[in-house]
Amino acid sequence: MGHYISRQIDFYQEQNLKQIGKTLDSYGENIQTAQRILTGMVIEQELFQKGTGTRRQKNSLYLQNIESVLRNIRRTSPIISNIFMVYDGGSYTSSSFFSKESLVQKAWYKEALLSHENTVTVQCHKADYQVYFGEGPEVISLVKKVISPNDAKTIIGVIIVDLDIHLLEETLRSHTFDDDYLILLRNQEGEVLESICGEGKYTQEYIEKALNCLDRETYTGQGGFLEDFSLHRYGVASYGWKLEAMVSKENLKSQFLISGGAFIGITLLTLLFSSILSYLLARRITRPMQRLLTHMEKFSEGDFHVRAKEEGNRDILALSKGFNKMSRRIRHLMEDLRIKEHESANARLRELQAQINPHFLYNTLETIRSLALRNGVESIADIAKSMALIFRYCINSRDEVGTLREELAHVKSYINIQKIRYKNRLQVSFYVDEELLDNCIIKILVQPLVENAIYHGIDQKREGGKISIFCHKSPEGVEIAVEDNGMGMKPEVLRSLQKQLHECQGERMGDSIGLKNVHSRLKLYYGRERGLHIESVYEQGTRVSFDIPFVMYSEEDRRKEMQTGSIFAERWEDV
C-alpha cells in the first residue's frame, strides 16, 4: 500500500514538472519564431543595402516597420521583458530607451559573440542598458547571432531577447510540489538560470554541492548526497534547457504516515457522523411532517389563523409554504366576503330607505310647479320640472345602468337649473355622436363632472365661461369628456388631486357624488384600468375625461341588470 502511494506521488510530481516544462517549451517556441522573423528582416535589410535584394519598399519605411514588429512581438509574449536588434543598419528596441554603447561593453555580450553556439543563454543579470538611470530590471538574455548569407563566418547582427525573471519564477511555482523541494532551471552549459525551493533551507553552497552531484550522477546509491531525495527531470527542447526537481523522501514518508493516520481517523469519524446524521435526518423529516399534519387538522376544525412553521427539507418546506399560502388566501377571501356582505346589506338598506313613498316627493314637486305656472313664475316652474326629472332619474334604483341618451338628458335638466342662476354667464355645448346615444353607461357619471366645472371653474370668473361636453368613439370604446374655460388649477393642486384619485383604487366612497365617487364607480364597474383623467392649466381651463366600453343597451341588458346587479359583471371578472 505504501509503495503504491509512493509511486502515485512520484507520478503526480512528474506530471507537475512536465506541465511546467511544457509552459517553458511554449515560451521558447514563441521566442524562436520571433527570432526567425527578426533574422529574416536583418538579412533582407543587409541584402537591400548591398543592392542584391528587392527594392519594392523605401528604406525609411522599412526601418519604421522594425520597431513596430518588435513592439508587437513583445505584447504577444508576456515573458519577454524587452527585445533589441543591433546590426550595421542601426539598433532598435521594443521599448522607449536603449543604450547600445552600454550593451556592447558588457562582458557577457562579448562572450556570446565569441561563442561557437548560434544562440547563447546568459544567466540572470541587471539590464541597465534599458533605463536612463539605475541598474535596470533583472533578466535572462537570449543572444542570437545573425550570420551573413554570403559569408558563414561573418556576424551581421545580434538579436537579444530579455526574459522577465519574475514571470519565469512564477512559472516554476505554478504547480504544487511537496513542502521540501528544490527546482533548478539550467542552460546547455549547466549554469543555473533560476532556482526555487520550498520550506527547506537551501543555501547557495548547498545548491552548488547538489549541482556537482547531479553532474557526476552520484545522486543514487548508498552514501550518495542526494539519496534522500526523489529526482525528476524534464528537457526544454527550445534552447536545450534542463528542468530538475528534487523532493525530500523523508518528508514524503512523514506525510504518508500523517495521511494514513488521518485517513483511519477520518474513516472512524465518518462512520460515527453517518450514524448520528442518519438519526438526525430521519428526525428532521418526520418531526416537521408531524407538525404540518397537526396544523392541517386544526385548520380542518375551523382554525383558519393557524400557520405552519416553514422548516424541513425541500419537499416539506414546499408543503409548509403551500399550506400557509392557502390558509392566508382563504382568510383573505373570507374577510372579503364578510365585507361584501356588509356592504350589500347597507346598500339594500339605503335602497329601501330611498324607496319610501317617492310619489309623495313627485306630487310635491308637481304641486310647486302648478302653483308657479298659476302665478306666472315660469322660472320656478322650470326648476320644479327639472328637479322632478333629476329626482326620478336618481332614485330609480332598479336600473343602475342606463343609456347615454338618458344620462345626457339628466345633465341637461341639471344645466337648466344652473342657467336660471347664472343666466348668460354660463354657456354649454354638446358634441355627441348620435350612434352612441344608446350606449350603456352607469348612472350619474357626467353630471358630477359638469357640477365640478361650474362651481370650481366658471363660478370663479366674473365674466363666466363655457362648458363643452364631448362623446365620441375611442380605441378603448367610448370617450366622454367635460371641458371648461374657467380658472383651472394650479400645478400643485392638480398633482394633489391626481394623487388622491390614484390612491382611490375602486373603494366605495359613501354618499359623496364628487370626482372621487365617479372615479371609484368607474373602477368598480368597468375594471381597475378605468378611471378619470384630469388635465388643467391655471387660468385657462380644465378637462376631465373617462372611457367606457362600447356596449349598446337592450331589454336583454335590462333583464341582466335586474338579475346580476350589473351588465358589466362579466367584464369585471375578466380584469
Side-chain angles (χ1 to χ4, degrees):
M1 182 67 179
H3 182 65
Y4 171 76
I5 295 177
S6 178
R7 284 192 291 111
Q8 290 298 317
I9 293 175
D10 286 343
F11 175 76
Y12 171 72
Q13 292 174 344
E14 286 178 2
Q15 293 302 313
N16 284 345
L17 191 68
K18 185 180 291 186
Q19 291 298 323
I20 296 174
K22 288 183 178 180
T23 303
L24 295 177
D25 274 333
S26 176
Y27 288 153
E29 290 173 1
N30 292 338
I31 294 172
Q32 283 184 336
T33 302
Q35 287 179 333
R36 283 194 291 269
I37 294 173
L38 298 176
T39 299
M41 296 178 68
V42 173
I43 292 175
E44 184 177 357
Q45 180 65 9
E46 176 71 13
L47 296 175
F48 181 83
Q49 289 178 349
K50 292 184 178 181
T52 60
T54 179
R55 295 181 178 273
R56 293 180 182 178
Q57 298 180 355
K58 292 185 179 180
N59 189 40
S60 60
L61 180 61
Y62 185 83
L63 297 178
Q64 292 176 2
N65 289 337
I66 294 178
E67 292 187 348
S68 176
V69 171
L70 293 177
R71 286 191 293 269
N72 290 334
I73 293 174
R74 181 185 178 188
R75 282 195 292 265
T76 56
S77 184
I79 200 171
I80 297 177
S81 174
N82 217 331
I83 308 176
F84 307 96
M85 287 179 58
V86 180
Y87 67 103
D88 294 341
S91 57
Y92 303 93
T93 178
S94 61
S95 64
S96 58
F97 177 76
F98 167 48
S99 174
K100 177 181 177 182
E101 293 76 12
S102 175
L103 174 64
V104 298
Q105 297 299 322
K106 301 296 181 184
W108 57 265
Y109 179 82
K110 296 176 181 179
E111 292 175 3
L113 293 181
L114 297 175
S115 174
H116 297 294
E117 299 293 335
N118 213 18
T119 302
V120 180
T121 304
V122 181
Q123 289 179 285
C124 182
H125 61 92
K126 299 285 186 179
D128 56 352
Y129 47 85
Q130 295 187 22
V131 294
Y132 290 98
F133 305 102
E135 297 180 343
E138 290 186 345
V139 296
I140 294 175
S141 297
L142 296 174
V143 183
K144 178 175 177 59
K145 294 176 285 187
V146 182
I147 307 302
S148 173
N150 300 322
D151 184 3
K153 296 183 180 180
T154 303
I155 300 174
I156 61 175
V158 178
I159 300 171
I160 302 173
V161 179
D162 286 346
L163 304 183
D164 188 339
I165 192 68
H166 299 293
L167 184 57
L168 185 60
E169 182 178 343
E170 290 179 7
T171 303
L172 296 180
R173 294 184 184 276
S174 60
H175 288 73
T176 304
F177 287 86
D178 191 69
D179 294 337
D180 189 2
Y181 67 92
L182 175 65
I183 298 179
L184 300 173
L185 178 64
R186 299 199 287 170
N187 60 14
Q188 288 179 315
E189 290 75 23
E191 299 172 336
V192 178
L193 300 177
E194 181 61 27
S195 64
I196 62 170
C197 58
E199 296 179 355
K201 297 180 179 179
Y202 296 97
T203 61
Q204 186 63 34
E205 180 181 356
Y206 191 95
I207 294 176
E208 291 177 358
K209 192 174 182 179
L211 289 173
N212 291 331
C213 293
L214 290 172
D215 292 338
R216 294 198 303 271
E217 298 293 334
T218 59
Y219 56 88
T220 59
Q222 186 175 3
F225 177 71
L226 299 178
E227 67 175 341
D228 295 332
F229 288 87
S230 176
L231 179 64
H232 308 282
R233 284 178 167 171
Y234 183 87
V236 182
S238 303
Y239 292 100
W241 295 349
K242 291 179 289 185
L243 191 60
E244 298 166 320
M246 297 179 294
V247 184
S248 173
K249 294 180 180 179
E250 187 65 28
N251 197 50
L252 285 176
K253 291 179 181 179
S254 62
Q255 287 197 357
F256 171 72
L257 294 176
I258 294 173
S259 300
F263 176 76
I264 296 173
I266 291 173
T267 302
L268 295 176
L269 288 175
T270 301
L271 293 175
L272 178 61
F273 285 146
S274 297
S275 302
I276 297 174
L277 185 61
S278 299
Y279 171 75
L280 294 177
L281 186 60
R283 189 177 180 184
R284 181 181 178 84
I285 293 174
T286 56
R287 288 187 64 185
M289 181 62 72
Q290 187 62 38
R291 290 176 182 172
L292 182 59
L293 291 174
T294 303
H295 292 316
M296 288 182 177
E297 290 177 1
K298 292 182 179 179
F299 187 82
S300 63
E301 294 172 358
D303 186 2
F304 299 115
H305 291 84
V306 67
R307 178 178 174 84
K309 186 177 182 182
E310 296 179 358
E311 59 181 354
N313 59 22
R314 183 176 61 183
D315 297 332
I316 297 178
L317 182 62
L319 287 174
S320 300
K321 288 183 176 179
F323 174 77
N324 290 334
K325 184 177 180 180
M326 179 192 69
S327 62
R328 184 167 56 251
R329 291 186 63 184
I330 290 177
R331 287 199 306 272
H332 291 167
L333 289 173
M334 293 183 66
E335 183 65 20
D336 291 343
L337 181 61
R338 186 187 64 81
I339 294 174
K340 288 181 179 179
E341 288 179 350
H342 181 70
E343 289 181 350
S344 177
N346 290 338
R348 184 58 180 169
L349 179 61
R350 288 195 298 268
E351 180 182 357
L352 294 174
Q353 291 174 346
Q355 291 178 350
I356 297 176
N357 202 10
H359 295 288
F360 168 75
L361 296 176
Y362 295 150
N363 293 335
T364 302
L365 289 173
E366 184 61 27
T367 300
I368 295 174
R369 179 172 177 272
S370 298
L371 290 174
L373 289 174
R374 189 179 303 168
N375 291 280
V377 186
E378 295 184 0
S379 59
I380 296 178
D382 291 340
I383 291 177
K385 180 180 179 181
S386 298
M387 281 295 297
L389 293 174
I390 291 174
F391 183 69
R392 181 182 302 167
Y393 183 75
C394 292
I395 69 172
N396 190 1
S397 59
R398 284 192 174 186
D399 296 332
E400 191 172 355
V401 176
T403 63
L404 185 59
R405 186 191 311 275
E406 294 170 345
E407 179 72 7
L408 295 179
H410 170 67
V411 173
K412 290 180 180 179
S413 297
Y414 174 76
I415 291 173
N416 289 336
I417 296 174
Q418 296 297 329
K419 277 193 171 184
I420 294 174
R421 174 186 174 186
Y422 289 96
K423 301 186 184 307
N424 294 331
R425 290 181 59 207
L426 177 62
Q427 301 294 327
V428 181
S429 299
F430 289 81
Y431 303 91
V432 182
D433 294 345
E434 292 187 1
E435 60 177 326
L436 303 178
L437 290 176
D438 291 326
N439 193 76
C440 295
I441 186 173
I442 59 175
K443 292 182 176 181
I444 316 179
L445 288 182
V446 182
Q447 181 270 328
L449 305 185
V450 175
E451 180 180 356
N452 190 75
I454 293 174
Y455 286 106
H456 298 285
I458 305 301
D459 190 59
Q460 304 296 323
K461 298 180 69 173
R462 178 177 300 177
E463 66 278 12
K466 179 181 178 181
I467 296 177
S468 300
I469 301 171
F470 300 90
C471 300
H472 57 81
K473 279 189 175 181
S474 69
E476 289 76 18
V478 178
E479 183 185 38
I480 300 174
V482 177
E483 292 185 4
D484 68 78
N485 60 355
M487 289 299 296
M489 288 181 279
K490 294 182 179 180
E492 58 271 17
V493 177
L494 177 61
R495 285 194 297 269
S496 175
L497 179 58
Q498 290 174 337
K499 180 179 179 182
Q500 293 178 35
L501 293 180
H502 179 72
E503 293 173 352
C504 175
Q505 296 298 329
E507 300 88 350
R508 295 192 178 272
M509 304 302 297
D511 294 328
S512 172
I513 312 293
L515 294 180
K516 292 182 181 179
N517 182 282
V518 174
H519 185 73
S520 297
R521 289 191 295 127
L522 283 169
K523 287 183 173 293
L524 283 169
Y525 279 85
Y526 297 119
R528 295 184 179 88
E529 77 280 2
R530 307 285 182 172
L532 293 179
H533 303 279
I534 303 177
E535 304 171 26
S536 182
V537 179
Y538 186 59
E539 295 184 346
Q540 293 186 20
T542 302
R543 185 179 193 269
V544 183
S545 62
F546 61 89
D547 293 293
I548 59 173
F550 180 67
V551 179
M552 301 304 288
Y553 200 78
S554 64
E555 288 302 321
E556 181 181 355
D557 295 327
R558 187 179 298 274
R559 288 194 299 270
K560 185 182 295 185
E561 163 67 18
M562 294 175 63
Q563 293 172 1
T564 65
S566 173
I567 64 172
F568 302 102
E570 296 178 3
R571 292 181 177 270
W572 171 249
E573 293 297 331
D574 293 338
V575 176

